[in-house]
Amino acid sequence: EYLLDHGYTTVLPSELSEGKSLPDRAVMITFDGCYSDVYAVAWPILKQYNIKATLFVWPDFLGQENRITEAQLKEMASSDLISVQAAMETYTLLDYLSKEELASIVDRAKSYVNTLTGRAPIAFAYSVGSINTAAKDYCASQFRFCVRRSSERPYDTSKDDGSLIYRYTIVRETPLEVFSYWLSKAK
C-alpha cells in the first residue's frame, strides 16, 4: 500500500534486462528461501495490490517445514506478478566452493527454475550475501543479474552492471521510516 500511495512501480528482472527506461520510482521486491509465509501472507497481498515480486528459489528447501510446496510455487509462477529466479540451495558460502562445486550448484538451480517455469532464469541470489571475485565472475557469466543482501547501498542503474546488485533486507519489524529512507536512496 505504501509503495502504491507514493507512486512506486514494481518491476521484475525481465523488465530490468530489456534495456527499456524504467519508471522514475521503480522498485523490485524479492523474497529468498521460499518460506511458507510468502504464499500464506505475501501472495494474497501481492495479488490484492497487483504488486510484482521475484522469488529466489532454493530447490532443496521446497516442501520442508515452514517452506512453500512446489505446487504453491507453480501457482505463483503462473501469474504475471511473480518471477521465479535461481538461488543457492545451500547456505555454503561461495567463497569456499571450488569452481566445479559452484558450477554444479548453479547449473542445478538454473535447471530447476527452467523446468518449473519453462523459462531460463536471468537472476541469481548469492548465498547469505557472501561473494568473492571468482564466484562473482562465474555467476555473472551465467546470469544477467546477481544479487546479494546488503545495507551498503541500493542498485544504481546509471553505474552498476548487474553482476552485483545490492538489496536491502526488509523484515516485519523494519520501521516504515527505515523502509521509506531506503526507498529514497534507490536510483
Side-chain angles (χ1 to χ4, degrees):
E1 192 172 315
Y2 179 92
L3 293 172
L4 296 177
D5 287 349
H6 289 83
Y8 287 93
T9 302
T10 55
V11 296
L12 300 173
S14 58
E15 295 170 278
L16 193 57
S17 73
E18 291 170 353
K20 297 178 185 174
S21 294
L22 293 174
D24 287 338
R25 301 190 99 181
V27 63
M28 189 178 303
I29 297 173
T30 64
F31 294 94
D32 291 353
C34 294
Y35 292 95
S36 57
D37 61 353
V38 170
Y39 184 80
V41 179
W43 179 227
I45 294 168
L46 295 170
K47 290 189 295 186
Q48 176 184 351
Y49 290 102
N50 202 35
I51 297 285
K52 298 174 186 175
T54 299
L55 305 180
F56 286 102
V57 176
W58 300 339
D60 287 351
F61 289 175
L62 294 177
Q64 291 185 8
E65 186 176 350
N66 296 319
R67 305 289 180 151
I68 63 174
T69 66
E70 192 169 270
Q72 292 168 331
L73 181 59
K74 285 181 181 181
E75 176 189 334
M76 290 185 288
S78 69
S79 167
D80 291 339
L81 297 176
I82 300 295
S83 174
V84 177
Q85 298 297 323
M88 297 287 291
E89 79 275 1
T90 177
Y91 281 110
T92 303
L93 299 177
L94 296 180
D95 299 5
Y96 300 108
L97 296 175
S98 69
K99 186 174 181 179
E100 294 76 22
E101 290 170 316
L102 177 61
S104 175
I105 287 171
V106 168
D107 289 347
R108 185 165 173 258
K110 285 172 61 174
S111 176
Y112 180 81
V113 170
N114 193 27
T115 299
L116 181 87
T117 66
R119 294 181 297 275
I122 61 170
F124 180 74
Y126 295 119
S127 173
V128 293
S130 178
I131 185 73
N132 64 14
T133 302
K136 178 183 174 276
D137 291 346
Y138 179 76
C139 291
S141 75
Q142 301 297 305
F143 299 95
R144 173 66 181 94
F145 302 105
C146 297
V147 302
R148 68 174 279 201
R149 291 180 292 178
S150 173
S151 59
E152 295 176 38
R153 65 178 180 83
Y155 181 61
D156 185 338
T157 56
S158 67
K159 59 184 173 185
D160 291 333
D161 65 6
S163 65
L164 184 56
I165 297 175
Y166 297 99
R167 301 180 291 164
Y168 291 128
T169 300
I170 308 293
V171 296
R172 289 175 211 233
E173 296 80 19
T174 302
L176 188 55
E177 296 78 21
V178 172
F179 179 72
S180 174
Y181 173 77
W182 284 343
L183 280 172
S184 73
K185 296 296 181 188
K187 296 179 182 178

